[in-house]
Amino acid sequence: MNLRQKQIRRSLPILTVGAFLAGGLVLAQTSPAQPSTKSVPARPATSGRVTSGADKLTSAEGTLFTKARPSTLRILQCPVNNCVEPDGIGTAFLIGDDGLALTAYHVIFQAKALSAQTADRKRYAVEVVGYDDQNDIALLRVNVPKGTPYLPVVAASPKVGDPVLAIGNGGGSFLTPKTGRLTALDTPSDRADFPSGTLELTAPLIPGDSGGPILNAKGEVTGVVSYISVKPSNVDDLSADPEITAYAVPVTAGAQRLADLKKGVKREAPVIGVSIGGNLALLTALPERLFAEANERLSLGLGSVAGAFFTDVSANTPAARAGLRPLQYNAEGKVTQGDLVTAIDGKRVVNFSDFQRIVRSNYQPGDTVTLKVLRAGKTIEVKMTLIGRSTVAQR
């Protein structure tokens, strides 16, 4: 697993210049134990002091890091007693003397086995207590010894401009620090499968830092690292270091989200089971006003009414069971058939991202929705019953 990253995308040359250009997002997910490529040094997207590595910390930052590090963990996707080649590496941190620890949900998603490594490199068993898939946060119980240090969770929300310290395992490192500043609060995500309402910060996080703590100057936890945004720093020189902006799920001591996790709530995100690939992936968030132009220039054969189209329907998913049809092409590359979803329970759908977002924001696994679908020039209604993401993954 690795930091959920928005991939840097380029617009299709045959379309209006810049009309369909999309930015890149990446889950600050877990990274491979031995990354196959060298991490590219990150340049922050906004101004402000940014550091990576203990040797670059100020005296105050160094003191904070030294105090906080024993409360942080390296999360490994492997059994405690057999961890030569873990499937993935992420970060977590203790928040209580009972072994409770927070991490990002994508760090542990689909893990067959989990173990945690403390600063002294000893490994301990891990149990998943609760999670919230849509908000990318999970609560673990780690079998650490009594007296193991833990981090306090802040009581109130932070402020823009606050300095922050992150601790993580990015790029194969072991519980190393990175600093930056908060640049925005309650940040929306432009992808349905990434959490909204996040803290935006300048710390140069990379894959493996996911699930780590974001600490304020007092050493209190304000957020859990979730994903990063990667964009070119110079559009005329794509070899230049990219600009990286990081995002963290906010946490406060009295928040209902944290209370639910402690109660063992395991909240799944509903899935549809459709995807869009190839060059058409650039059009996942196609604005309604540009749909007709894209349809004509790409010969999609979908008409002039905007909606969600897709190129694949996964087996044994809600979309497959509902009979939704992906775009299909003939030998000349022309679209011969494919559904266009234009509404869900009366809510207007104008593109693929809309389709995903409306489902994930308004429904739960087990809910049945009614889709308005344009098929072969005719409008039909299709019933679709949603299931959880982990249910699909287990099949």
Side-chain angles (χ1 to χ4, degrees):
M1 295 184 292
N2 37 355
L3 223 98
R4 273 197 292 189
Q5 239 173 327
K6 285 182 181 177
Q7 302 301 322
I8 301 172
R9 299 171 184 155
R10 302 179 187 178
S11 57
L12 290 172
I14 60 174
L15 301 178
T16 304
V17 176
F20 309 120
L21 183 65
L25 276 184
V26 179
L27 273 177
Q29 289 172 284
T30 53
S31 67
Q34 297 178 334
S36 57
T37 57
K38 185 176 180 180
S39 298
V40 178
R43 180 179 300 167
T46 56
S47 60
R49 181 176 175 278
V50 175
T51 65
S52 177
D55 58 333
K56 298 180 182 179
L57 300 178
T58 64
S59 176
E61 291 167 346
T63 299
L64 178 59
F65 171 60
T66 300
K67 183 178 180 181
R69 188 172 186 262
S71 304
T72 57
L73 306 164
R74 185 183 226 184
I75 297 297
L76 304 157
Q77 287 198 10
C78 59
V80 175
N81 299 319
N82 182 17
C83 202
V84 177
E85 295 183 1
D87 291 334
I89 296 174
T91 308
F93 54 94
L94 296 163
I95 60 169
D97 59 5
D98 51 2
L100 290 179
L102 285 173
T103 189
Y105 179 58
H106 71 262
V107 169
I108 64 168
F109 180 65
Q110 290 186 273
K112 297 177 181 178
L114 289 168
S115 59
Q117 200 170 19
T118 49
D120 58 6
R121 295 187 180 268
K122 292 182 180 178
R123 285 196 203 95
Y124 299 94
V126 173
E127 170 194 358
V128 179
V129 177
Y131 57 79
D132 185 334
D133 188 356
Q134 183 60 40
N135 288 300
D136 194 29
I137 191 169
L139 185 68
L140 313 175
R141 189 179 300 279
V142 185
N143 191 30
V144 292
K146 289 291 183 182
T148 301
Y150 61 90
L151 298 171
V153 178
V154 73
S157 298
K159 298 179 180 178
V160 171
D162 284 354
V164 296
L165 172 72
I167 302 175
N169 299 290
S173 65
F174 185 70
L175 300 177
T176 55
K178 294 172 183 176
T179 65
R181 288 190 178 274
L182 287 178
T183 52
L185 307 178
D186 197 24
T187 308
S189 169
D190 62 1
R191 275 184 50 173
D193 54 342
F194 287 74
S196 286
T198 53
L199 308 177
E200 180 186 273
L201 52 142
T202 61
L205 304 177
I206 58 176
D209 288 326
S210 283
I214 298 299
L215 303 172
N216 62 19
K218 297 180 180 179
E220 299 169 315
V221 176
T222 61
V224 181
V225 175
S226 179
Y227 67 95
I228 61 174
S229 174
V230 181
K231 299 177 182 178
S233 59
N234 184 345
V235 293
D236 296 320
D237 181 10
L238 295 180
S239 66
D241 292 347
E243 293 184 346
I244 297 180
T245 306
Y247 299 86
V249 178
V251 290
T252 53
Q256 186 61 48
R257 181 183 297 165
L258 185 54
D260 286 345
L261 292 175
K262 290 181 177 179
K263 292 177 182 176
V265 173
K266 296 180 178 178
R267 187 168 291 123
E268 294 269 11
V271 295
I272 301 169
V274 295
S275 59
I276 182 169
N279 285 336
L280 292 181
L282 297 169
L283 307 182
T284 55
L286 181 66
E288 183 174 11
R289 60 187 173 79
L290 297 177
F291 183 88
E293 178 187 356
N295 177 68
E296 179 181 355
R297 296 196 178 213
L298 295 176
S299 300
L300 297 179
L302 295 173
S304 59
V305 178
F309 54 87
F310 35 90
T311 58
D312 185 67
V313 174
S314 299
N316 299 315
T317 62
R321 292 176 179 177
L324 292 184
R325 301 175 182 178
L327 295 182
Q328 293 186 10
Y329 307 83
N330 60 19
E332 288 74 42
K334 299 292 185 180
V335 174
T336 57
Q337 69 174 31
D339 287 342
L340 188 75
V341 178
T342 60
I344 305 173
D345 287 342
K347 303 176 185 69
R348 183 75 173 94
V349 173
V350 300
N351 55 46
F352 183 87
S353 291
D354 240 11
F355 190 19
Q356 301 283 339
R357 184 178 295 107
I358 291 173
V359 167
R360 291 181 72 118
S361 300
N362 296 277
Y363 301 98
Q364 299 295 324
D367 291 345
T368 297
V369 299
T370 300
L371 307 179
K372 182 180 286 188
V373 176
L374 190 61
R375 178 180 293 170
K378 296 182 179 180
T379 298
I380 62 173
E381 288 191 349
V382 175
K383 298 286 186 181
M384 182 175 72
T385 300
L386 303 171
I387 60 177
R389 189 161 70 103
S390 64
T391 305
V392 175
Q394 291 171 3
R395 296 186 178 198

